[in-house]
Amino acid sequence: MSKFLFFSLAKHQSKYFKRLLEAPELSGAVRLSVDMPWPRIVDMARVIRRLNWSQLIEDKCQERQVKAKYAGIFYQLLLRLELLFIALRAQALLDQEQPQVLVLWNGSHRYCQILLALLPAGTRTAFFENGLLPNTTTFDPQGVNFRNSVPRDAEFYRRYAEHVAQSPEEAIELVPRKPRVEGLQPIELPKQYVFMPFQDDRDTQVRLFSPWIKNMRELFALGELIQAKTGLTVVFKEHPSSRESYPELHQRCHASLLFANGNSTQELIESSLFVVTLNSTVGLESLLLGRPLLTLGQAFFNIPGVVMHADSAAQMLDIVAAFPEWPVHPELRNGFLHYLKHQYCVPGSWQQADDAHVHEVATRMLHLVDKDG
């Protein structure tokens, strides 16, 4: 029996998972989707009952629609057959390995969702992702991003801050993201502006956790609304990894509505009045750099007193109009960031997993099975 079953969908995931299994405390196996056993017809009935077919199909079709790919009836029929085939193989894999803990990267992929739906009662889970803070890795037994286990209660961070000695804040230098297009020239930034960073329309943060803004064209329209109603200058920056281009949005720009794709994100955050985001990493970086933050989507850092949050355009305008008299508190923000750094995040990036990093992850993983006694 494998105590830990690491399910991998990519080469870099397999490499990292195998590195973790070098820890003498851990035992288990790394399996790719191609490694799953062949399906067994005898499992058909129980597999069909366990899966939320409509949700799996809806999520995949939505992903294809965002990518402007066909997602009609013929595709949905083929998708059902693929999902059934994978589900039967996943069931055979779980029966073969009988893990105490299923380990996934992110967990939003349909193959991961199938495995999670088929898990026997009592099987624990662990999820990995890129770190929330520079030079860290995310490890969470519950999920990642909005689904993670980070407490959302402001009182938790108020109590936490009272009982933890916080060292003076260190200067933060963000890790720049490599853009898809090189050679973009920075612009001269206005003296005062609101920063609204774009996200990738294809990313799960937008597709799954943005209930009322479906894409960056809608976000741009909200920026236009802020500028028109308040007179504030709004500066946008396209996501450096996005495959989408927005020539029609650039044509709608003017002196108080600008794109700054060549400027560094850190500069754009630090020089802004405040930042408006759906739920991006830039939002968390804004907190790290001490800038006020307004979120429009579902984010794990939507904590009263740490950020402002709007669920509609009207609410967004009311909050913007109230700036700078926002009810946010530095002690809550600092308690939240201290908790992330010293309690939640695993020190060290997964890309350069040294022995200390592997030992820390192994300790946290063993804690999961130790809960079973």
Side-chain angles (χ1 to χ4, degrees):
M1 179 182 75
S2 297
K3 183 176 290 185
F4 297 98
L5 173 58
F6 295 81
F7 183 72
S8 169
L9 289 167
K11 184 177 180 179
H12 67 274
Q13 297 172 18
S14 298
K15 181 179 179 181
Y16 177 61
F17 290 160
K18 289 176 180 177
R19 175 73 177 100
L20 294 180
L21 280 175
E22 292 177 11
E25 309 98 308
L26 299 183
S27 63
V30 178
R31 296 288 181 262
L32 285 75
S33 57
V34 296
D35 296 333
M36 293 193 293
W38 284 99
R40 301 171 302 191
I41 300 302
V42 69
D43 294 329
M44 182 86 71
R46 64 169 170 157
V47 162
I48 290 175
R49 287 196 304 268
R50 298 284 295 277
L51 297 187
N52 186 340
W53 295 94
S54 60
Q55 189 64 56
L56 287 167
I57 292 169
E58 180 183 344
D59 288 349
K60 182 59 181 175
C61 288
Q62 181 195 48
E63 177 187 338
R64 288 182 65 85
Q65 288 163 0
V66 168
K67 297 177 181 179
K69 294 183 177 181
Y70 171 72
I73 294 176
F74 182 65
Y75 172 77
Q76 292 180 34
L77 176 61
L78 293 178
L79 179 60
R80 282 183 178 272
L81 292 174
E82 181 216 12
L83 293 174
L84 178 60
F85 180 68
I86 293 298
L88 289 170
R89 296 186 71 184
Q91 185 63 66
L93 176 67
L94 292 172
D95 289 344
Q96 173 181 290
E97 298 292 342
Q98 299 181 39
Q100 287 180 269
V101 182
L102 173 66
V103 185
L104 303 171
W105 188 272
N106 185 284
S108 63
H109 190 279
R110 63 190 182 281
Y111 292 2
C112 297
Q113 290 298 306
I114 287 172
L115 278 164
L116 291 169
L118 297 176
L119 275 186
T123 305
R124 297 191 180 276
T125 55
F127 300 86
F128 284 92
E129 246 293 358
N130 295 322
L132 299 176
L133 304 179
N135 195 37
T136 66
T137 300
T138 294
F139 168 82
D140 196 301
Q142 183 172 299
V144 299
N145 299 324
F146 186 64
R147 296 181 176 132
N148 71 24
S149 62
V150 173
R152 315 293 161 93
D153 179 19
E155 188 58 33
F156 172 87
Y157 297 104
R158 185 173 287 107
R159 294 193 304 267
Y160 179 84
E162 289 174 354
H163 291 91
V164 176
Q166 297 186 29
S167 57
E169 292 186 13
E170 300 176 358
I172 300 293
E173 184 173 348
L174 305 181
V175 180
R177 299 170 181 81
K178 186 176 181 180
R180 289 179 60 84
V181 180
E182 302 282 355
L184 297 173
Q185 295 301 309
I187 67 169
E188 183 177 348
L189 295 173
K191 289 184 178 180
Q192 291 189 328
Y193 63 89
V194 177
F195 178 38
M196 296 184 72
F198 275 20
Q199 295 178 225
D200 187 346
D201 289 345
R202 305 178 182 208
D203 192 80
T204 56
Q205 289 280 69
V206 179
R207 292 191 296 103
L208 301 182
F209 305 123
S210 180
W212 64 283
I213 302 168
K214 297 306 178 186
N215 54 58
M216 295 307 102
R217 289 177 171 84
E218 292 186 9
L219 182 69
F220 183 87
L222 290 173
E224 287 181 311
L225 187 61
I226 290 174
Q227 196 284 317
K229 295 295 185 181
T230 68
L232 290 169
T233 297
V234 178
V235 175
F236 304 94
K237 181 177 181 178
E238 295 177 35
H239 192 282
S241 301
S242 176
R243 295 177 175 84
E244 192 70 44
S245 59
Y246 306 94
E248 78 284 9
L249 300 187
H250 286 263
Q251 291 176 4
R252 284 154 59 179
C253 288
H254 49 76
S256 297
L257 207 67
L258 307 167
F259 275 96
N261 292 337
N263 296 67
S264 75
T265 299
Q266 180 155 351
E267 176 194 19
L268 289 166
I269 294 172
E270 290 181 326
S271 300
S272 68
L273 291 170
F274 58 89
V275 177
V276 181
T277 183
L278 299 184
N279 48 22
S280 72
T281 303
V282 176
L284 189 57
E285 292 170 344
S286 302
L287 296 178
L288 284 168
L289 295 170
R291 301 313 300 150
L293 177 65
L294 168 58
T295 64
L296 307 177
Q298 296 172 324
F300 75 90
F301 43 84
N302 283 354
I303 300 163
V306 177
V307 308
M308 301 298 290
H309 175 71
D311 287 317
S312 68
Q315 191 177 10
M316 175 194 73
L317 289 175
D318 288 343
I319 293 172
V320 170
F323 183 81
E325 304 302 321
W326 287 0
V328 293
H329 307 287
E331 68 275 11
L332 284 182
R333 183 198 69 209
N334 293 340
F336 170 72
L337 293 174
H338 191 280
Y339 173 82
L340 289 186
K341 180 178 180 180
H342 296 280
Q343 299 294 323
Y344 181 77
C345 293
V346 179
S349 68
W350 60 269
Q351 294 95 331
Q352 289 89 37
D354 59 17
D355 290 344
H357 173 88
V358 171
H359 175 72
E360 176 62 26
V361 172
T363 300
R364 297 191 188 201
M365 295 187 74
L366 287 174
H367 183 65
L368 290 177
V369 294
D370 288 343
K371 290 179 180 179
D372 297 325

